[in-house]
Amino acid sequence: MLGVDPSRLPPASQWQRLYEQMFDQPVEQRSSLLVSWLYEDRFLGFSTADKIRIRQQANMHLHITDASQRKQGIGAECVRQTVELYFQALKLKQLFCEPNAFNVAPNRTLQRAGFKYVKTHMTVPGPLNFHQAVNRWMIERG
């Protein structure tokens, strides 16, 4: 929950309706894209892409929800594969990720997955977050 404002979390039913409506749209028209991560047929976590500008750029978020699977290098592989999926599905040139600057795990994961550090700055990274320090990471394709 580091960086998430619990008061901004919508009820589960509202989230479900949002994603059901989104999944009915072609990928190119969606405001976000959701990727579930499985490890040995178990749900491990997920990634979302938002702030999508088709053929240009998007922002990704990453979450390993199964704490027992953290610190094993699985996250970096999930991120690598998800990056490829986002670049392919959204035809991107750049992909950004802005984890909380004080949350070491996702910052290390992004570096291991090939992202390059851009800067640290204060922002509200998404609709569920509060104003915070984040590290901006980027990965590009020719």
Side-chain angles (χ1 to χ4, degrees), residues 66-126:
D66 183 346
S68 70
Q69 298 298 322
R70 294 180 183 150
K71 299 181 182 179
Q72 298 182 34
I74 299 167
E77 186 56 31
C78 289
V79 168
R80 282 186 206 101
Q81 290 183 30
T82 302
V83 163
E84 294 309 317
L85 189 149
Y86 288 151
F87 272 96
Q88 190 173 57
L90 303 171
K91 299 165 181 54
L92 301 175
K93 295 177 184 170
Q94 297 176 319
L95 183 62
F96 296 92
C97 190
E98 293 187 328
N100 183 287
F102 303 106
N103 190 348
V104 175
N107 285 285
R108 282 189 188 149
T109 298
L110 291 165
Q111 186 176 25
R112 288 183 182 129
F115 280 74
K116 303 294 181 220
Y117 172 81
V118 177
K119 68 178 182 177
T120 300
H121 66 115
M122 296 294 292
T123 191
V124 178

Side-chain angles (χ1 to χ4, degrees), residues 31 34 48 69 113 117:
S31 59
L34 175 68
T48 57
Q69 298 298 322
Y117 172 81

